Amino acid sequence: MDALLIALYVYLDDHVMPSRARPRGRGRPPVLTSAEAVVVAVAQVLLRCDQERYWLRTAAARIGHLFPRLPSQAVYNRQLRDLGPQMSAAALWLARQVPTWHEPLRLMDGTPIRCGASRVTVNRSSLGEIAGYGMDKSHHAFYWGSKLMLITTADGAVTAFSLACPKELDERKQALHLLHVQQIAPGPCPIVCDKGFAGAGIEKAAADLGHHLIRPAREDEPAPAMPFPGWLRQRIEAIIWTLKNQLGLERHNARHTDGLWARISQRILALNAVIWHNWNIGAPVKRSLIAYDH
């Protein structure tokens, strides 16, 4: 755990968010620099502390030898929300440092992010800009929240992700928007997805960008010449399960749009950091997330 946090801080401070390049403002300087705050946020996820209040009470005992000075809860929450764009940029930067970034294969899937379960929450929440009612076809249930779209490598590193309101963009439109605005691979590559991305429009739009969608055939379509790689579909499902359950994305407790984006970026950054660290230490097939809970 200490080796991962130290290596992550060094690389973030050198390449992504250098503290020496930040201009000095008025007043007292912050307790933690941007790179230090991001590393503390990653440690919070890996140690499975979903609530910031509980995390700051235990952080001194868990990582106090690395961070002797920690901010108050209000300062940490505000700094975490402000660092949402930087954490997402750091997560995508780490994905480009692993060897599987250069493999010509990507996995794509969307998953709902539930943000409320009562009508009172829907009416009073500040998530109205990004949240709405949608249909979770995997569980045959409606939900109120956002739709998270993920594009990953075969080993689980998230190379692109986006968040959208399910009422404004359906799964196919969100996937096309993500393919247009973010670089998912060094060049064109096949993308393994599910039946929800079927359609001549999305297949042609993806082909215009150089990407070939590989999906299982629908019931009204003839069987393909080659069998669908179902084992690759299980990988993206395992990645989503890791984010939601093991890294606490299902328990994000966000109440504002910037807070929701920051907590999603925080979990994805923690996942990519573990994969990146495993490649650096020569153990790319180990599941280090379980070991960091002890």
Side-chain angles (χ1 to χ4, degrees):
M1 182 68 171
D2 290 356
L4 186 151
L5 297 180
I6 294 173
L8 180 61
Y9 167 73
V10 171
Y11 272 84
L12 291 180
D13 192 68
D14 289 345
H15 302 284
V16 183
M17 48 188 73
S19 57
R20 59 184 178 276
R22 186 182 58 184
R24 178 68 181 272
R26 289 185 176 182
R28 184 179 300 175
V31 177
L32 298 176
T33 64
S34 298
E36 291 173 339
V38 168
V39 174
V40 172
V42 170
Q44 174 190 350
V45 174
L46 295 181
L47 293 173
R48 302 188 184 183
C49 296
D50 300 324
Q51 298 182 1
E52 283 79 7
R53 181 176 302 178
Y54 174 76
W55 164 240
L56 291 176
R57 288 201 301 262
T58 60
R62 306 300 294 270
I63 61 172
H65 58 288
L66 298 176
F67 300 94
R69 299 178 60 200
L70 293 171
S72 62
Q73 178 188 347
V75 174
Y76 178 72
N77 291 344
R78 183 170 59 251
Q79 192 172 16
L80 193 64
R81 291 195 302 267
D82 295 340
L83 289 174
Q86 297 187 50
M87 285 192 292
S88 61
L92 300 181
W93 180 86
L94 288 177
R96 287 160 170 78
Q97 310 308 311
V98 298
T100 50
W101 163 257
H102 301 281
E103 291 183 354
L105 176 66
R106 291 296 181 267
L107 313 178
M108 180 172 65
D109 199 5
T111 183
I113 304 296
R114 291 173 173 80
C115 300
S118 66
R119 189 64 187 175
V120 176
T121 303
V122 174
N123 293 333
R124 300 178 61 180
S125 174
S126 299
L127 291 166
E129 300 176 356
I130 198 67
Y133 285 102
M135 176 63 181
D136 185 3
K137 296 182 180 180
S138 300
H139 299 87
H140 304 284
F142 287 95
Y143 70 94
W144 187 81
S146 301
K147 192 64 175 288
L148 176 64
M149 186 65 58
L150 295 171
I151 299 179
T152 72
T153 62
D155 66 345
V158 179
T159 61
F161 65 99
S162 67
L163 197 65
C165 177
K167 294 180 64 176
E168 297 180 358
L169 291 179
D170 60 14
E171 198 170 45
R172 289 176 291 186
K173 293 181 180 179
Q174 186 180 358
L176 283 179
H177 176 75
L178 183 59
L179 292 175
H180 276 90
V181 300
Q182 293 192 20
Q183 183 185 6
I184 66 170
C189 63
I191 303 175
V192 178
C193 52
D194 61 4
K195 297 179 182 179
F197 298 94
I202 183 174
E203 292 180 359
K204 181 180 182 303
D208 293 340
L209 297 174
H211 305 299
H212 174 60
L213 299 184
I214 302 175
R215 58 173 180 83
R218 297 181 302 186
E219 295 181 356
D220 57 346
E221 294 177 336
M226 298 183 63
F228 176 76
W231 60 278
L232 282 176
R233 281 287 306 142
Q234 293 300 318
R235 287 201 175 190
I236 186 67
E237 294 292 342
I239 296 166
I240 293 175
W241 184 92
T242 301
L243 284 171
K244 284 193 166 185
N245 295 275
Q246 201 168 357
L247 298 181
L249 184 56
E250 195 79 358
R251 306 176 298 275
H252 57 81
N253 299 321
R255 295 294 178 265
H256 300 274
T257 303
D258 53 351
L260 178 61
W261 178 256
R263 285 165 173 82
I264 291 175
S265 302
Q266 179 185 8
R267 269 70 178 182
I268 293 177
L269 174 59
L271 176 65
N272 285 0
V274 170
I275 296 174
W276 166 78
H277 182 66
N278 280 347
W279 279 106
N280 285 336
I281 64 177
V285 297
K286 292 183 178 180
R287 296 293 182 182
S288 299
L289 295 174
I290 300 176
Y292 293 147
D293 189 38
H294 299 291

